[in-house]
Amino acid sequence: MKIFTLLPWTDWLAMLWFFSGWLGYAWFARHYGARRASLLHTTNRYRHLWLMQTTARDPRVIDGIITQNLSSTPAFFSSTTIIIIGGLFALLGTTDKAAELVREIPFAVRTSVLIFDLKVLLMVGVFVYAFFRFSWSMRQYTFVALLIGSMPSPKEFEEKKFDREVFATRASRMVSLAAETFNDGLRAYYFSFAIMAWFFSTIAFVIATAVVVLILYNREFNSDVLGVLRE
């Protein structure tokens, strides 16, 4: 209960704004992206086309290489996240010096060591969430490799022993889930920068949260990359 009294009500409102922006944007991107093709929704079509081509290839060595390359990115972020979490826990052991360093910044708001620890713990929570999403994305890509490896030969598809569309749809759906999970972890990285602004002031925290949401929206719905993929 002491925490609720030590943290000003403006900070609680800022935290509510932060989580509302994060969760609200995730909901918005998922539902609005189904009506107006987002970057993830558009690339899902290419994933389906890729897996349709896979059903006609034999051997499927190139598809295994593609799957391995796709899984390497979440693997990199997963290991990087572990290092960041370790660094944040190390920071908790030296919060006196870190808080003093922040206080020396002219435009930074003076806060107690306890409040500083709370902000660090919030960042730890964000990166722990990111780690679980990245690691789950890695595992989903192993399921993709399993689905590709279990596909019948092109000859069996041509003889109508198996439905080509069913296998391609199932595999592309799994790739899409892996990509969406990775996107969740990457989004957590973006919002961690908003928390960094909280170390300076509550207003900076609120503004940074809004800026992150705007950047994510522009990249997922109005980016040049999306324009190229839509052509």
Side-chain angles (χ1 to χ4, degrees), residues 51-173:
L51 272 306
M52 282 294 293
Q53 294 294 325
T54 301
T55 60
R57 268 196 287 267
D58 190 25
R60 301 187 173 103
V61 177
I62 184 65
D63 304 292
I65 296 174
I66 293 173
T67 304
Q68 185 178 10
N69 287 336
L70 289 174
S71 64
S72 64
T73 305
F76 168 77
F77 275 96
S78 181
S79 59
T80 302
T81 304
I82 288 293
I83 297 173
I84 294 174
I85 293 173
L88 290 173
F89 275 117
L91 179 62
L92 286 174
T94 59
T95 47
D96 291 334
K97 295 180 180 179
E100 186 64 30
L101 178 63
V102 173
R103 291 192 195 102
E104 292 178 358
I105 300 175
F107 53 85
V109 176
R110 305 299 190 265
T111 58
S112 64
V113 175
L114 177 60
I115 301 302
F116 190 90
D117 286 342
L118 285 175
K119 296 175 182 179
V120 175
L121 287 174
L122 179 59
M123 289 197 70
V124 170
V126 169
F127 282 108
V128 167
Y129 168 80
F131 169 77
F132 280 114
R133 300 309 286 170
F134 288 138
S135 58
W136 180 232
S137 178
M138 288 169 51
R139 192 173 183 193
Q140 286 175 315
Y141 278 118
T142 63
F143 300 152
V144 173
L146 180 65
L147 288 173
I148 293 176
S150 65
M151 281 186 181
S153 65
K155 183 179 180 181
E156 290 178 297
F157 282 125
E158 293 171 0
E159 293 174 352
K160 304 299 182 181
K161 293 182 180 179
F162 298 95
D163 192 330
R164 184 189 304 271
E165 183 67 30
V166 170
F167 274 85
T169 301
R170 183 183 296 118
S172 63
R173 177 59 179 157

